[in-house]
Amino acid sequence: MSQKTTLAVAVAGSLLAGSALAAGKGEVLVLLSSETQLPLKDGKQYTTGFYLNEFGVPADHLLKAGYELVLVTPKGNAPRVDENSVTPQYFGGDEQEMQRIRSLVENLPGIDDTLSLKEVLEGDLQRYAGLLIPGGHAPLIDLANNPEVGALLRHFHQAGKPTAAICHGPIALLSAQRDPAAYQAALANGETPAAADWIYQGYRMTIFSTPEEQVFEQSLQGERILFYPATAMESAGGELSYAEAWAPNVVVDRELITGQNPFSDHALGKKLVQMLDAKGQQAQ
């Protein structure tokens, strides 16, 4: 049996075991970026996507707990993994675990043909128990300035449904304001804008910290991103808190669950399952 076949069998076994233990708990929507080219300050671009562990590890927790995943992107296309995240360092140095999660993600239903935001918004949003927004730098491109993302977030906010976002994923929360595109444009111009009618104003939250982002920028050979996510969230009215750089950190406030960095993946996944289970029990 080849290594690839062994991994596929392991993934299938893990999913079957999870389903057998806790089947049919409900559907969780996973919001991913459609884009892969992040604009930088000098006009150049950085190739990105979702971080493998930030998507795959919480997804693994959800599937094992008996939840079904429904994938959505703004365009309804196939999201792309950031190849810089396909490394054992994000999996405790465990190559086999990295390959297991990679196989799990690559075999998720809908991974090559997601629903579009338009399709989801025109459908029955009541069917979804919660929302997961993985990170990677791609959400900075098309999830933070998108009124359709804002409409989606408002549903989960108003219904009090668990909403989890990790690393750069929380930047998508900025779409739930009156004019997210203008807000992002002002940030890119070096301004300090105010968010109007932001539904998460005053929420406690976290996001990839500026010290962590500055470490990332060292890989850009002197280039810089358009704005720091932490500054963007603070300017909008979020109550941000951070752990030491690269330490796991998850902040919960009402329905919102945010994780600071890639190493917050397991803690965020466990908390999301816990809150989904609690919400489901309340509904019974």
Side-chain angles (χ1 to χ4, degrees):
M1 186 180 290
S2 69
Q3 183 182 18
K4 185 174 182 180
T5 302
T6 302
L7 286 166
V9 170
V11 168
S14 139
L15 297 184
L16 287 170
S19 297
L21 288 170
K25 284 188 176 178
E27 294 177 312
V28 174
L29 198 64
V30 183
L31 174 61
L32 297 148
S33 170
S34 285
E35 305 299 330
T36 61
Q37 299 300 311
L38 177 71
L40 302 175
K41 279 195 172 180
D42 68 344
K44 294 182 181 179
Q45 294 183 327
Y46 172 77
T47 300
T48 185
F50 63 82
Y51 256 44
L52 179 61
N53 69 305
E54 295 174 16
F55 179 11
V57 170
D60 190 39
H61 282 283
L62 289 164
L63 291 167
K64 286 178 176 176
Y67 292 95
E68 181 182 347
L69 305 183
V70 178
L71 311 184
V72 59
T73 60
K75 294 179 179 178
N77 60 336
R80 298 301 178 203
V81 66
D82 188 323
E83 292 297 334
N84 292 309
S85 71
V86 186
T87 170
Q89 78 177 75
Y90 295 117
F91 299 88
D94 189 335
E95 171 79 21
Q96 186 172 358
E97 177 65 2
M98 182 196 78
Q99 294 295 351
R100 184 183 74 83
I101 293 296
R102 185 176 191 176
S103 183
L104 183 149
V105 168
E106 289 175 350
N107 288 282
L108 284 173
I111 189 66
D112 293 321
D113 184 21
T114 68
L115 295 173
S116 69
L117 273 171
K118 183 175 185 292
E119 289 172 317
V120 168
L121 291 172
E122 290 178 349
D124 180 15
L125 291 177
Q126 298 295 335
R127 63 187 279 187
Y128 302 114
L131 176 66
L132 170 65
I133 310 173
H137 281 84
L140 292 167
I141 309 170
D142 63 343
L143 299 187
N145 54 4
N146 192 322
E148 288 186 324
V149 173
L152 186 71
L153 290 167
R154 287 185 185 91
H155 164 76
F156 287 90
H157 171 71
Q158 290 166 2
K161 295 180 180 179
T163 302
I166 183 170
C167 200
H168 291 84
I171 202 71
L173 303 175
L174 292 176
S175 281
Q177 59 175 297
R178 187 184 304 166
D179 192 346
Y183 184 84
Q184 187 180 63
L187 289 168
N189 288 332
E191 301 171 24
T192 306
D197 301 326
W198 190 38
I199 63 175
Y200 300 106
Q201 187 167 12
Y203 268 63
R204 291 180 292 106
M205 61 183 68
T206 191
I207 196 169
F208 201 57
S209 69
T210 297
E212 290 167 326
E213 198 72 77
Q214 289 170 338
V215 171
F216 161 75
E217 283 184 321
Q218 292 174 13
S219 71
L220 298 179
Q221 300 178 336
E223 311 302 337
R224 296 180 60 195
I225 62 174
L226 295 178
F227 59 86
Y228 289 133
T231 301
M233 304 301 281
E234 291 165 0
S235 179
E239 297 293 329
L240 277 290
S241 62
Y242 309 97
E244 181 181 353
W246 315 114
N249 180 36
V250 170
V251 176
V252 179
D253 190 351
R254 286 158 277 188
E255 83 279 8
L256 185 64
I257 311 162
T258 49
Q260 178 176 325
N261 52 41
F263 302 102
S264 307
D265 52 358
H266 281 285
L268 180 127
K270 291 175 182 176
K271 179 56 69 173
L272 177 55
V273 168
Q274 178 186 343
M275 289 178 61
L276 285 166
D277 285 352
K279 186 76 172 176
Q281 290 173 0
Q282 290 174 6
Q284 292 177 357

